Amino acid sequence: MTFILARSWQKTARSSSSLVVNLSRGLHTARSSTVSPSTTNSVNNDEIAHFSKLSSEWWDEKGEFSFLHKMNPVRMQFIREKLLEIAQEENPELESGDMLAGLDVLDVGCGGGLLSESLARMGAKTLGIDASGSNIAIASLHAAADPKLSPSSTSPNLSYLHAPAETLLSQPKRYDVVCSMEVLEHVDNPAAFLSTCAELLKPGGHLFLSTISRTPLAYALTIFLAEDVLRQVSSGTHTYSKYIKPSELVQFFRDYPQQNTNDSISDSSTPLSLARPWISTHAGSNYLPRLEAELRGLIYNPLRARWHLAPRDAWGALECNYIFWVRKPMN
């Protein structure tokens, strides 16, 4: 099996090497381009068709999305703990509480609504969007079965919209929190997608992303093992060349200005030359200021069939699945 795995890995690495280079380059070049719904469409129609076919399985906890069902509590743990940490930094007298209550939250690529429902149950005013109409139909149907989440409830916290994120840029509304979980590795233009998510945040807002790193271990676990051997995930769900290394994500926000070059959709009057980067440390540094950004590994324990959040700076924890938080500068 080791030999087969090595040959399979080498074949994929060779065939996708040019794509990897283009992907990495894209994370840098799109920042300087004009960001608009017409020029930054990151939707991949093949990916949408793939997940649309699987939409009926979203709420089957033992089916296609079983790993995401198990991962969801850990994602929510990180979001709640990070928001509380920042709130306590700004208000040392604050002891506890759910920081999601009353916040405007956008869940980009919400799928069947696993994360959206959890956010809404915590009191967040949640909008889940997805480019797949089938996913939105399933998410809406599942939410409607719960009186607390149904649109007919007295104070609904959850709504869904069939739309890619780029279409929201022309609207004035911005969000306290933008989440996009297990989506980045499925888009065509990751830099444009990240720019869109960033633009949809209010100043001081929080961006949460989870994705997969581009490493041999990630290929072995998420494609060779999960798709080809165990068949727990449909073949073709993941494309290795689309995986994003944590260092690439961090560098994007080191270089990313507070606003982009399109004044028509920018929410800031700060000149581009004066806009501060979201992450202030220099390139090559492994240090992330905890009030600006954070990376944590998401580790799956097959013996317990559970995910857990790796400690900060745990060795090797970012080699496969990971979660990332970054905060938009206030001014």
Side-chain angles (χ1 to χ4, degrees):
M1 178 177 288
T2 302
F3 174 75
I4 296 173
L5 174 58
R7 289 294 300 272
S8 179
W9 153 251
Q10 290 168 1
K11 180 179 179 181
T12 300
R14 285 195 301 268
S15 64
S16 63
S17 59
S18 61
L19 292 175
V20 171
V21 172
N22 291 335
L23 177 65
S24 299
R25 185 182 298 118
L27 276 170
H28 297 280
T29 58
R31 282 190 298 272
S32 60
S33 62
T34 298
V35 179
S36 69
S38 61
T39 61
T40 62
N41 182 16
S42 59
V43 173
N44 181 299
N45 291 329
D46 291 336
E47 296 271 6
I48 298 305
H50 176 82
F51 284 101
S52 293
K53 290 179 182 178
L54 300 172
S55 59
S56 62
E57 299 187 39
W58 268 108
W59 288 96
D60 180 359
E61 296 185 10
K62 296 182 179 180
E64 177 76 22
F65 301 105
S66 61
F67 283 116
L68 296 187
H69 278 273
K70 295 182 176 103
M71 184 187 288
N72 200 49
V74 182
R75 300 188 300 194
M76 284 298 299
Q77 173 193 345
F78 179 73
I79 292 171
R80 296 173 68 186
E81 288 179 353
K82 195 65 197 182
L83 291 178
L84 180 60
E85 177 187 350
I86 298 302
Q88 289 177 329
E89 184 71 24
E90 296 174 348
N91 181 8
E93 297 181 359
L94 182 66
E95 294 183 0
S96 62
D98 203 317
M99 297 299 103
L100 282 163
L103 296 184
D104 291 317
V105 178
L106 178 65
D107 184 11
V108 179
C110 63
L114 272 64
L115 184 72
S116 295
E117 287 200 8
S118 298
L119 292 166
R121 293 181 197 283
M122 293 294 104
K125 294 178 288 185
T126 306
L127 172 62
I129 64 171
D130 201 285
S132 166
S134 299
N135 284 347
I136 291 297
I138 290 296
S140 301
L141 184 64
H142 192 271
D146 187 333
K148 295 182 179 179
L149 298 178
S150 171
S152 60
S153 65
T154 55
S155 56
N157 274 344
L158 177 60
S159 59
Y160 289 108
L161 178 65
H162 173 210
E166 293 85 358
T167 62
L168 301 185
L169 291 173
S170 60
Q171 301 178 13
K173 186 175 180 61
R174 294 297 182 258
Y175 297 85
D176 299 297
V177 175
V178 172
C179 300
S180 189
M181 305 301 191
E182 282 68 54
V183 175
L184 187 58
E185 67 271 23
H186 299 290
V187 302
D188 268 354
N189 187 334
F193 179 78
L194 290 171
S195 294
T196 296
C197 291
E199 182 66 29
L200 290 169
L201 278 172
K202 298 176 182 178
H206 305 265
L207 176 60
F208 292 92
L209 305 164
S210 62
T211 188
I212 305 172
S213 184
R214 196 174 62 256
T215 64
L217 178 63
Y219 171 82
L221 295 178
T222 64
I223 297 177
F224 180 77
L225 193 62
E227 295 185 20
D228 300 339
V229 177
L230 300 179
R231 306 283 182 177
Q232 291 187 326
V233 178
S234 294
S235 178
T237 294
H238 298 106
T239 302
Y240 177 75
S241 62
K242 288 188 172 183
Y243 289 178
I244 305 292
K245 291 183 178 181
S247 59
E248 294 169 343
L249 200 51
V250 168
Q251 191 58 44
F252 177 89
F253 285 102
R254 281 196 179 109
D255 297 338
Y256 188 79
Q258 185 185 356
Q259 66 169 38
N260 51 59
T261 58
N262 189 347
D263 292 335
S264 64
I265 63 171
S266 175
D267 60 357
S268 172
S269 59
T270 306
L272 186 62
S273 60
L274 299 180
R276 55 167 289 195
W278 289 30
I279 299 176
S280 60
T281 55
H282 60 81
S285 172
N286 291 326
Y287 171 68
L288 290 178
R290 67 178 183 86
L291 301 182
E292 294 180 356
E294 184 171 345
L295 281 164
R296 300 281 289 275
L298 295 170
I299 311 298
Y300 185 71
N301 184 334
L303 299 180
R304 295 188 176 184
R306 290 180 56 186
W307 292 88
H308 73 269
L309 193 63
R312 288 186 176 98
D313 302 320
W315 183 86
L318 302 176
E319 291 296 297
C320 194
N321 295 80
Y322 64 94
I323 193 165
F324 173 73
W325 165 83
V326 66
R327 192 177 190 190
K328 187 172 187 173
M330 289 295 296
N331 49 54

